[in-house]
Amino acid sequence: MGTATNAFNTLSPQIVQKLNQLQIMQPTKVQEKIIPLIAEGKSVVFESETGTGKTYAYLLPLVDKLEKDSDTTTLRILICAPTFELASQINAAAKKITDRKTALLIGGAPIKRQLETLKEKPQIVIGTAARLVELIRLKKLKASSLYALVFDECDRLLKKESFEDTDNLRNCVAKDCQIIGCSATVNKSARIFFADSENITMPQEFILSKSIEHWAIYAENQEKIEFLRKFLAAQNPAKALVFTSRSDQVENIYKKLTYKHVDCMALYAKADKQMRKAAIDKFRSGKCKVLITSDLGARGLDIPDITHIIQMDVPEDDDFFIHRSGRTARAGKRGINVVIGDEVEMRRYAALEKKFGLTVYPKQIRNGKVTEPML
């Protein structure tokens, strides 16, 4: 890529230096497209596959504007995320590129401590919709001088259960505030919600079909966990993320694997934030090689170097299949996506194979090895 089209060239030298320290030298395609639009102050909603660099696509131009602002105490950037984990990741990403104060304000955490944090006058606030609205209504968070309001994973924020909070948050900001939305799957309701924003869909990079190998292992429902155990023993994956659609199944899989002495961690709904953080940290660092989660628990989770995705069912929502599979093969790496399913699920998997242009390889576990099925 020639320097003339490098969107990083428009950023301030101190930000470029921080990116270089992170060994980020070239913008990804979505960053190349989105950075100039946001720098111009345009409201945009953009769709780009998982693992393509959406967070920095909006953070870099917004932080660049902030760095040039002599005011260091007014709240300028408000970012809304659907889960605690995603909000934490965005906060960590922001801290890597700026020394301006950031704050994490999420529901379910003590509000008193968050009020103390706000006294430090953060300029970037990342949080969940309901808590952000609550703090704005309490007049503890001033949304009147914002440059931008960002909705990350906007399709999830606009689902029925969180739509009202998301809508209320947008109504809290000034009319001239820049509105930004992004997701790997921007659906119709998101396009309606962001009707006043420029709508960008990045061309598919076909990460699902080009960088990920798809396997199918047939198993009846009651045998699935035992098949999972055998698969983990046969493959010994460096980092495997195990998905199930039902939150209550997360604990069940975890207990059965642990009983069989498989070292694994679980992210389930009932776990408190400390337990969730401990599980993610252990998995991220590689101390634990297997993490079990539900679709909701893992939404927006960006953990590098996941080698295997193991799906214990085929989700009803095709978008979930994309979000699951896209947790591997990030940043130019390759990965394996395995579905352990019964007859009905294998039919759905075959339909997804056709829809997304994938090649699915049937596998079986024999004599402690993953092999091609015997014909």
Side-chain angles (χ1 to χ4, degrees), residues 201-247:
T201 300
M202 292 304 293
Q204 274 197 304
E205 293 176 39
F206 298 103
I207 289 168
L208 273 193
S209 56
K210 286 182 180 166
S211 307
I212 302 171
E213 194 168 313
H214 298 271
W215 294 358
I217 295 175
Y218 175 80
E220 291 296 341
N221 209 23
Q222 63 275 20
E223 296 173 334
K224 283 185 179 184
I225 298 173
E226 181 55 18
F227 269 75
L228 170 63
R229 185 196 66 75
K230 287 179 179 173
F231 179 83
L232 293 170
Q235 279 277 293
N236 190 20
K239 227 178 228 183
L241 190 56
V242 179
F243 277 101
T244 173
S245 295
R246 286 172 35 211
S247 299

Side-chain angles (χ1 to χ4, degrees), residues 106-374:
I106 44 157
I111 198 161
K112 201 174 169 191
R113 197 173 304 156
Q114 293 181 355
L115 295 174
E116 289 301 312
T117 307
L118 287 173
K119 286 179 185 168
E120 293 170 22
K121 304 209 179 306
Q123 291 198 281
I124 305 172
V125 163
I126 302 112
T128 46
R131 179 55 55 93
L132 294 175
V133 169
E134 183 183 3
L135 289 163
I136 290 168
R137 286 180 175 161
L138 288 170
K139 301 202 168 19
K140 299 298 180 188
L141 198 61
K142 291 184 176 64
S144 53
S145 303
L146 288 175
Y147 298 150
L149 170 59
V150 180
F151 296 97
D152 199 323
E153 295 271 11
C154 58
D155 57 333
R156 169 89 185 275
L157 289 167
L158 294 169
K159 283 213 183 308
K160 212 165 41 205
E161 62 276 12
S162 45
F163 180 86
E164 193 181 341
D165 292 325
T166 304
D167 195 39
N168 285 340
L169 182 59
R170 189 175 64 172
N171 291 331
C172 286
V173 302
K175 284 274 180 282
D176 61 350
C177 177
Q178 190 174 4
I179 303 287
I180 297 159
C182 67
S183 180
T185 46
V186 176
N187 54 23
K188 193 178 173 188
S189 62
R191 293 189 201 284
I192 294 165
F193 187 83
F194 294 99
D196 300 336
S197 302
E198 194 161 328
N199 194 327
I200 306 284
T201 300
M202 292 304 293
Q204 274 197 304
E205 293 176 39
F206 298 103
I207 289 168
L208 273 193
S209 56
K210 286 182 180 166
S211 307
I212 302 171
E213 194 168 313
H214 298 271
W215 294 358
I217 295 175
Y218 175 80
E220 291 296 341
N221 209 23
Q222 63 275 20
E223 296 173 334
K224 283 185 179 184
I225 298 173
E226 181 55 18
F227 269 75
L228 170 63
R229 185 196 66 75
K230 287 179 179 173
F231 179 83
L232 293 170
Q235 279 277 293
N236 190 20
K239 227 178 228 183
L241 190 56
V242 179
F243 277 101
T244 173
S245 295
R246 286 172 35 211
S247 299
D248 59 335
Q249 270 296 93
V250 175
E251 198 165 356
N252 184 31
I253 296 167
Y254 171 71
K255 283 180 174 168
K256 287 187 174 169
L257 287 184
T258 309
Y259 179 73
K260 293 284 178 83
H261 310 293
V262 177
D263 182 22
C264 58
M265 302 288 285
L267 282 184
Y268 41 90
K270 286 183 285 186
D272 63 29
K273 291 194 172 61
Q274 273 72 29
M275 282 169 75
R276 289 172 70 85
K277 187 177 184 306
I280 291 169
D281 288 350
K282 209 170 166 192
F283 183 60
R284 192 186 293 276
S285 68
K287 286 183 186 139
C288 175
K289 293 180 173 183
V290 181
L291 182 66
I292 306 147
T293 184
S294 65
D295 295 294
L296 297 184
R299 201 62 192 272
L301 202 61
D302 189 6
I303 292 175
D305 306 326
I306 292 175
T307 55
H308 292 69
I309 298 296
I310 305 165
Q311 307 198 34
M312 300 298 282
D313 47 47
V314 177
E316 290 294 315
D317 188 330
D318 292 354
D319 288 350
F320 280 11
F321 180 83
I322 296 170
H323 282 281
R324 285 176 175 191
S325 309
R327 302 286 136 227
T328 187
R330 292 168 94 86
K333 293 197 168 68
R334 297 191 64 78
I336 292 171
N337 170 52
V338 187
V339 171
I340 299 177
D342 60 18
E343 199 174 325
V344 174
E345 286 162 334
M346 286 302 157
R347 281 204 293 274
R348 291 214 58 229
Y349 196 12
L352 291 172
E353 177 180 25
K354 202 171 174 183
K355 181 176 179 178
F356 296 128
L358 313 174
T359 303
V360 173
Y361 299 94
K363 299 283 178 183
Q364 62 178 199
I365 306 160
R366 211 172 49 248
N367 303 329
K369 287 189 171 66
V370 178
T371 62
E372 311 295 316
M374 292 177 80

Side-chain angles (χ1 to χ4, degrees), residues 54-88:
K54 291 187 288 294
T55 307
Y56 277 147
Y58 66 75
L59 265 183
L60 286 166
L62 294 177
V63 166
D64 189 58
K65 187 174 179 181
L66 186 62
E67 292 282 356
K68 292 167 183 161
D69 192 338
S70 55
D71 179 335
T72 58
T73 58
T74 303
L75 176 61
R76 296 297 195 190
I77 301 163
L78 193 58
I79 302 168
C80 179
T83 62
F84 162 71
E85 281 83 18
L86 180 57
S88 300

